[in-house]
């Protein structure tokens, strides 16, 4: 049986990044895209609790030559909704692989938390399917991601060959450079955003704000983290765990267990 | 100087849970609430990339007797927006403590990923402030959370006394029972949702879906996880790390570093 590969993203089903990722994925099997009907940047793992979700069939292409088949659906929900919807209502069976992206913009470091791209991989991981999120430093709507194709293919091939540990998915970030140095396996960088709000005034008065700012690592000299590797010309691959437990903190907290009702 | 405590939630600034949490917090210092202008359940760590964000001043109460002051703002954004907004545009200084909730509904186990309540604590944690998310099994809009007040106070007191490790916040879930057995310190439970979509038909035709379903742990006999403790009458306290790196997976992935450009 051909491999079945599910793909979503947070830039929408007709973004260049997902179109190009689907074409790469078709070298490995049949592809089903279920992706948002428009941009959902920064949607994290949000789900549509307050609004109904609709699906729209877009197109289907049969397998030919060495390429697997392609089915594309759009969905009115978040990237995480798309993934949950695909697994329960659209895919013919549990896929062999979940891919997300290629995102127009990086999702290094703690930005994985805010990322809709990453949410697809986390959701696939929760559903026990090997899952990879791909992001690029190229932001333009008409970006060409062929410069990173070899890295994307290597990572997909490795995951199809070896799988991933249960509960672990990959966050892959490739910088916008024609001189990629290689792939670096990294931890998730830690840091925070600065000057996060830009103020504007409405034509009728009253202030409003756009989220903006710049990311600042806690420690910019930490060469083991994905944001450093990305800044320095490498495709950064960070293994991300769905289990966020701070195991090292458990013992010190047990004084709380002495609390009386 | 009095302690300054920031509070947000994902049920909105006028939800019973946040009103009651603010009253508890005023026993420990001055309180500033910046919370969404309505329900934002399931908003995860989403940020408003595509829409502007507005703030509205609601009210102010001076400190009196043994209670700290209270300032309340509402915000048109997500819980994570509220937290970022408060830190940069509303709070007079970096707070000593970030609280979230009390959420109407639990956020045990992997549901921490989807939770807007939890996003406030994660964002506070990213900003290096000790942060706690409180959730309850009580769903009703008019719920009375006084049954869990002692636990909330103990946990706040412990965190003010001892702090939390950098990068670690707490996910606290109290079941809906008058017979709480005590507090249990736990790891985050792992599992997945089943039957996630309920289908409906629009009056003019066409299907749409509501997200729903039920949570199923991977291993229901795992007594070390928060969902077990919660199901069995304990307030479950799980330390949650903003660093999601799967350190144990790093070495096996380094074969990727042999990929040629």
């Amino acid at each position: 049986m051909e491999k079945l590969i599910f793909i979503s993203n947070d830039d929408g089903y007709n973004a260049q990044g997902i179109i190009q990722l689907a074409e790469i994925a078709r070298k490995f099997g049949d592809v089903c895209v279920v992706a948002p009907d428009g941009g959902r940047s920064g949607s994290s793992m949000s789900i549509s609790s307050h609004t109904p979700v609709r699906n729209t069939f877009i197109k289907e292409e049969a397998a030919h030559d060495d390429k697997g088949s392609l089915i594309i659906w759009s969905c009115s929900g978040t990237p995480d909704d798309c993934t949950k919807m695909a697994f329960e209502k659209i895919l013919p069976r549990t896929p062999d692989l979940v891919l997300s992206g290629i995102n127009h913009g990086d999702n290094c470091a703690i930005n994985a938390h805010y990322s809709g791209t990453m949410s697809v991989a986390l959701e696939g991981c929760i559903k026990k399917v090997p899952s990879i999120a791909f992001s690029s430093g190229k932001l333009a709507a008409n970006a060409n991601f062929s410069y990173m194709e070899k890295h994307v293919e290597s990572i997909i091939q490795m995951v199809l060959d070896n799988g991933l540990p249960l509960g672990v998915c990959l966050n892959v970030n490739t910088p916008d450079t024609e001189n990629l140095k290689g792939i670096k396996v990294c931890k998730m960088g830690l840091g925070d955003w600065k000057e996060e709000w830009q103020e504007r005034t409405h034509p009728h008065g009253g202030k409003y704000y756009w989220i903006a700012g710049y990311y600042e690592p806690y420690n910019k000299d930490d060469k083991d983290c994905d944001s450093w590797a990305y800044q320095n010309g490498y495709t950064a691959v960070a293994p991300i765990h769905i289990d966020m437990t701070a195991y090292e903190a458990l013992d010190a907290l047990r004084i709380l267990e002495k609390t009386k009702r």
Side-chain angles (χ1 to χ4, degrees), chain A:
Chain A
M1 191 161 58
E2 284 294 318
K3 298 284 185 193
L4 177 62
I5 301 171
F6 167 67
I7 307 184
S8 192
N9 74 349
D10 75 357
D11 290 321
Y13 73 93
N14 55 2
Q16 275 302 308
I18 200 166
I19 291 169
Q20 293 182 36
L21 181 58
E23 286 307 303
I24 296 172
R26 291 175 79 180
K27 299 179 186 176
F28 296 91
D30 294 319
V31 170
C32 176
V33 168
V34 182
D37 55 16
R40 302 283 191 283
S41 292
S43 57
S44 189
M45 281 191 84
S46 60
I47 52 175
S48 295
S49 300
H50 299 282
T51 46
V53 177
R54 289 173 173 77
N55 307 319
T56 306
F57 175 76
I58 303 294
K59 71 170 183 175
E60 183 164 9
E61 285 179 32
H64 60 88
D65 305 321
D66 291 332
K67 288 165 72 169
S69 63
L70 174 68
I71 296 176
I72 302 179
W73 286 77
S74 85
C75 170
S76 64
T78 66
D80 198 72
D81 289 335
C82 292
T83 311
K84 289 175 175 291
M85 187 68 79
F87 271 70
E88 190 174 308
K89 297 291 181 190
I90 298 178
L91 290 164
R93 61 178 177 88
T94 302
D96 301 290
L97 185 67
V98 169
L99 303 179
S100 183
I102 299 171
N103 194 58
H104 296 236
D106 87 275
N107 285 302
C108 285
I110 57 133
N111 301 305
H113 284 287
Y114 307 115
S115 163
T117 308
M118 197 59 213
S119 78
V120 174
L122 287 164
E123 188 64 43
C125 190
I126 285 173
K127 298 192 179 310
K128 299 188 176 180
V129 177
S131 300
I132 314 168
F134 291 102
S135 301
S136 162
K138 285 192 188 287
L139 290 165
N142 66 349
N144 184 336
F145 298 100
S146 59
Y147 80 108
M148 58 186 280
E149 191 167 323
K150 181 115 190 295
H151 284 184
V152 172
E153 284 183 19
S154 297
I155 296 164
I156 291 174
Q157 188 68 62
M158 190 282 290
V159 170
L160 285 175
D161 289 347
N162 304 332
L164 285 171
L166 189 65
V168 176
C169 56
L170 300 183
N171 183 19
V172 178
N173 287 277
T174 303
D176 178 12
T177 170
E178 293 298 325
N179 297 303
L180 282 173
K181 288 183 189 158
I183 293 177
K184 236 174 124 63
V185 176
C186 314
K187 63 182 181 184
M188 179 185 190
L190 301 180
D192 190 14
W193 284 75
K194 306 293 171 185
E195 299 174 25
E196 297 191 278
W197 297 103
Q198 285 196 16
E199 190 178 304
R200 298 282 189 276
T201 303
H202 191 275
H204 297 169
K207 289 179 198 169
Y208 63 90
Y209 298 88
W210 288 106
I211 202 157
Y214 59 94
Y215 174 73
E216 198 170 81
Y218 292 161
N219 174 7
K220 68 180 168 44
D221 300 320
D222 185 351
K223 297 184 178 182
D224 295 328
C225 69
D226 58 353
S227 46
W228 186 93
Y230 175 88
Q231 289 289 341
N232 286 274
Y234 294 91
T235 287
V237 178
I240 299 295
H241 213 299
I242 54 168
D243 181 359
M244 298 171 78
T245 307
Y247 286 94
E248 72 284 6
L250 286 169
D251 281 344
L253 290 170
R254 294 205 198 278
I255 49 169
L256 285 171
E257 297 185 348
K258 293 178 185 151
T259 304
K260 296 279 179 285
R261 170 80 227 287

